[in-house]
Amino acid sequence: MGVEAGAQAARARALAVLRIRSRALAVALLPAAVAVILLAGAVGDRLEGPLWDAARWVLTPFAVLVLLAAAGIALVVARARPAMSPTVPVTEEAAPDLYRMVRDLADRLDVPAPSAIALTPDCDSWLEDRTHPSHVPPPAEEHRDIAGAGRQAHRRHPVAPVLVIGSPFLWWMRVGELRAVLAPVIAGTGPSAHPDIAAARRFVRGLDAAVAVASEPRRDPVSRAVLAGVGWVARLLLRSCRVHAAELERGVAAAAAERAQAVDYGLRIVAQEQVGLAYAGWDRLLTRVALPAWRMGRWPSRLDAGVVAALTELSRRDRLAEGFASRLGERPACDLLEEPGTVDEAASLLAARLFHGGPAGPGPDWSPVDWSEYPDEVVDRKWRLDAARLHRVLDAMGVRPATGPTAPATVAPTLSRVLDHLTDTGPAWTAGSTGATGLAAGSTGPGPDTAPPTTAGPPPGRPDPLDDEDLAGTTAPSATLAARLSAELAREAAAPSPAAPSPASASPAPDPAALWDDRALPLFPLQPPRTARELLADHLTAMVCCAAMDTAGATPGLDWLDGPTLLIDGERTADLAPKVLTLIEDGDATPLRGWLSQLGIRPEKPVRLG
């Protein structure tokens, strides 16, 4: 499909959407038109008689009600705030070279330049219309127009959409690769400027926003009933427009891609490979490295720089990626920013909000952490806090300290205590067994050998019961301890936390109230909540690592691809996870004790807890 064919297809679909809008308007005006004819007939002494009088009495109020309802729906559609992606705005003063590159691309493509540039903490790029009056401040006032720096935008001219760029692209890609990736995106401003396409998109966005308004919970029964009707009409119109709107966007994308073929074509294949690589590194960095820090109330302040480190490490390990390391000698796209560190920090904070739901700005319980501080401030602290929680739960269960000739004389937090408790030769716990479910409910039973009642409700902050299938196949002590840990974490999550800091303190991040409705965070959670089995494995691993640090001179470390790691003599330890699972599932501590002995870790020695 060529440029002209794609544009024509998009315009045809836009006209189809506008025809649906016109038909809806005609349906709303039809009763009023009939009522006007009946009233005019009465004035002209033409439509007289009891039947015509009755028709006038019935139809006129009905027409008024229909007009009022149509006006109300139109008002909601017009005033409803369309969804806007949360981004970090980048002014031309903060990135003159980036704006110059985008303007040059638009000139080469012979399309209008985007009105502004913003960054998103994700591996994607798109154009976004932010011309709705509710989008405050408007892009035309917040940023200088790329198409004419310093030139005041006139209201009679349509405002071009905002160019949203994935922040990982700027740090990982080279300047030429970024140009090749952005070319088809910027080419989309051409079809977007067509009046029919712009009007059709505004209509669809308005309907979508009206559905969102109608879906908001309200206590007033009258407003609930009114908005229920508005939502029904908006959904009906959206269903009618769905196919045409999808084909409209497909035609715009085809026209933009065809127009961009002539720009940096040779780099586009290489650039697309970098897009996939950046996405893989970004996903790995968020789930393996950033998520453990977010759960502790710390947010890495240089996530985008971490992508480069993660992908460089991947290129070192993977022979298929050996050629990627040579690219690092070329100019990175982040050089197009005046202060890349400041932008990276703002994007990192936004990523924490979107993917984890953290506060809008730094504070005592939500502070940034540099990569050089990550091992001590995140890894070491995480392990010791988990180990402390593990022993706190064991204390509540009445578990005795470790026994044996090498056990300490006093009650002390030792790894031996945990290993002795979990070592079990009895039958595995099965779904439906008593004990784990009851303890998960927050029961403080008399001890590990007594089955508690199972009638208590779920713990605070966790409305669903534990998944019996998740605990199936583990030993009874493991299932009980896993349930207790899950309940303890639920109580901690339900406990009131200090007030979140004011968004004004979130410099250099933008005010989230001006970006999107953030009442339901995180918007894009990375992972489902950890199961009870996973929680027990994490806490047991943390206890092993604490014992290694305190008795064998091990140190916490950061692996860019795998996250927190234990270093002994500067080398990563391996094969710990299978031995932990063997203890949890089979109650057999022999493999783990052998591993500890081989590395010189003393499980009977007390450890320092967080």
Side-chain angles (χ1 to χ4, degrees):
M1 181 182 289
V3 177
E4 189 62 27
Q8 290 295 338
R11 292 168 190 167
R13 294 294 182 169
L15 291 175
V17 172
L18 296 179
R19 282 194 293 271
I20 292 174
R21 184 184 67 176
S22 299
R23 284 196 290 267
L25 179 61
V27 170
L29 294 177
L30 181 60
V34 175
V36 169
I37 294 174
L38 292 177
L39 292 174
V43 173
D45 297 331
R46 292 181 179 275
L47 303 178
E48 296 182 344
L51 183 61
W52 292 110
D53 291 339
R56 276 189 287 270
W57 278 105
V58 172
L59 193 58
T60 300
F62 175 73
V64 172
L65 290 176
V66 171
L67 284 178
L68 290 176
I73 294 172
L75 183 63
V76 172
V77 172
R79 293 178 62 87
R81 180 179 182 177
M84 187 170 70
S85 303
T87 56
V88 175
V90 178
T91 62
E92 186 165 1
E93 291 79 6
D97 291 343
L98 180 60
Y99 271 70
R100 193 176 302 113
M101 184 190 76
V102 171
R103 188 184 299 121
D104 176 68
L105 271 175
D107 290 341
R108 292 184 60 184
L109 293 167
D110 193 24
V111 296
S115 61
I117 297 176
L119 299 184
T120 178
D122 201 358
C123 294
D124 198 3
S125 297
W126 66 88
L127 294 171
E128 186 166 289
D129 187 350
R130 297 184 178 179
T131 58
H132 194 273
S134 64
H135 293 156
V136 179
E141 299 177 10
E142 182 184 5
H143 306 280
R144 291 184 180 179
D145 189 353
I146 303 178
R151 183 180 63 194
Q152 184 176 2
H154 298 285
R155 292 186 179 273
R156 64 176 178 271
H157 295 307
V159 179
V162 173
L163 173 63
V164 181
I165 306 174
S167 62
F169 293 165
L170 283 174
W171 268 259
W172 175 244
M173 289 185 173
R174 310 299 100 179
V175 173
E177 294 168 351
L178 183 65
R179 283 176 56 90
V181 167
L182 294 182
V185 181
I186 296 174
T189 61
S192 299
H194 192 276
D196 292 336
I197 293 177
R201 282 175 163 175
R202 283 195 301 269
F203 179 59
V204 173
R205 284 197 304 270
L207 292 176
D208 184 70
V211 170
V213 170
S215 301
E216 294 178 355
R218 284 177 170 80
R219 296 182 179 180
D220 182 11
V222 176
S223 62
R224 281 203 307 269
V226 171
L227 288 176
V230 173
W232 181 84
V233 173
R235 291 186 184 91
L236 178 63
L237 292 175
L238 271 179
R239 285 194 296 269
S240 302
C241 298
R242 180 180 296 126
V243 175
H244 297 301
E247 292 298 325
L248 184 156
E249 299 301 335
R250 189 173 290 111
V252 169
E258 187 68 24
R259 183 181 292 272
Q261 289 289 332
V263 178
D264 296 332
Y265 181 77
L267 279 174
R268 294 184 62 182
I269 297 178
V270 176
Q272 289 302 320
E273 292 177 354
Q274 302 309 316
V275 169
L277 191 65
Y279 182 85
W282 180 249
D283 180 72
R284 193 81 173 249
L285 186 75
L286 292 183
T287 55
R288 303 292 182 88
V289 179
L291 188 58
W294 292 340
R295 285 171 173 163
M296 293 181 55
R298 306 296 299 272
W299 52 278
S301 58
R302 295 293 186 271
L303 279 179
D304 292 304
V307 171
V308 179
L311 294 177
T312 304
E313 177 66 16
L314 178 63
S315 69
R316 186 184 68 82
R317 297 185 190 178
D318 189 353
R319 288 182 298 177
L320 297 177
E322 287 179 356
F324 295 138
S326 62
R327 302 170 48 259
L328 301 182
E330 304 174 17
R331 186 190 183 194
C334 62
D335 280 358
L336 301 173
L337 304 173
E338 289 292 299
E339 298 183 4
T342 301
V343 176
D344 194 358
E345 185 172 354
S348 299
L349 178 58
L350 182 57
R353 303 211 69 211
L354 293 178
F355 299 114
H356 185 67
D365 298 312
W366 187 241
S367 56
V369 60
D370 192 74
W371 289 125
S372 61
E373 303 170 347
Y374 187 95
D376 292 330
E377 296 294 326
V378 175
V379 180
D380 181 87
R381 184 174 167 222
K382 173 186 182 299
W383 286 341
R384 297 195 186 277
L385 288 176
D386 286 353
R389 183 182 300 109
L390 178 61
H391 281 278
R392 190 163 60 247
V393 170
L394 291 175
D395 292 339
M397 294 170 59
V399 175
R400 296 180 297 274
T403 59
T406 60
T410 60
V411 177
T414 65
L415 177 58
S416 293
R417 181 193 190 195
V418 183
L419 299 182
D420 291 347
H421 174 67
L422 293 180
T423 301
D424 181 66
T425 57
W429 187 87
T430 58
S433 299
T434 60
T437 306
L439 287 172
S443 167
T444 56
D449 300 323
T450 303
T454 61
T455 56
R462 189 185 182 98
D464 299 326
L466 287 175
D467 185 0
D468 284 351
E469 295 298 328
D470 169 58
L471 295 175
T474 63
T475 64
S478 295
T480 302
L481 184 56
R484 289 289 195 119
L485 284 170
S486 181
E488 178 68 15
L489 280 170
R491 281 191 290 270
E492 293 177 8
S497 58
S502 170
S505 66
S507 179
D511 181 2
L515 291 177
W516 82 100
D517 185 0
D518 58 354
R519 285 174 291 181
L521 289 174
L523 299 180
F524 311 106
L526 289 178
Q527 294 178 338
R530 289 173 291 178
T531 64
R533 183 197 295 258
E534 292 170 340
L535 288 174
L536 177 57
D538 288 346
H539 284 72
L540 181 54
T541 301
M543 188 62 203
V544 172
C545 293
C546 289
M549 291 188 294
D550 291 349
T551 68
T555 57
L558 166 61
D559 185 278
W560 291 109
L561 298 176
D562 297 325
T565 186
L566 182 67
L567 303 178
I568 297 183
D569 295 330
E571 298 293 332
R572 289 184 58 193
T573 57
D575 300 331
L576 174 58
K579 296 170 178 58
V580 169
L581 290 179
T582 299
L583 176 59
I584 292 174
E585 296 173 355
D586 303 331
D588 183 8
T590 302
L592 182 55
R593 288 186 184 274
W595 186 87
L596 296 173
S597 177
Q598 179 183 358
L599 296 177
I601 301 173
R602 304 285 298 277
E604 75 279 1
K605 294 292 185 180
V607 299
R608 178 174 60 87
L609 302 181

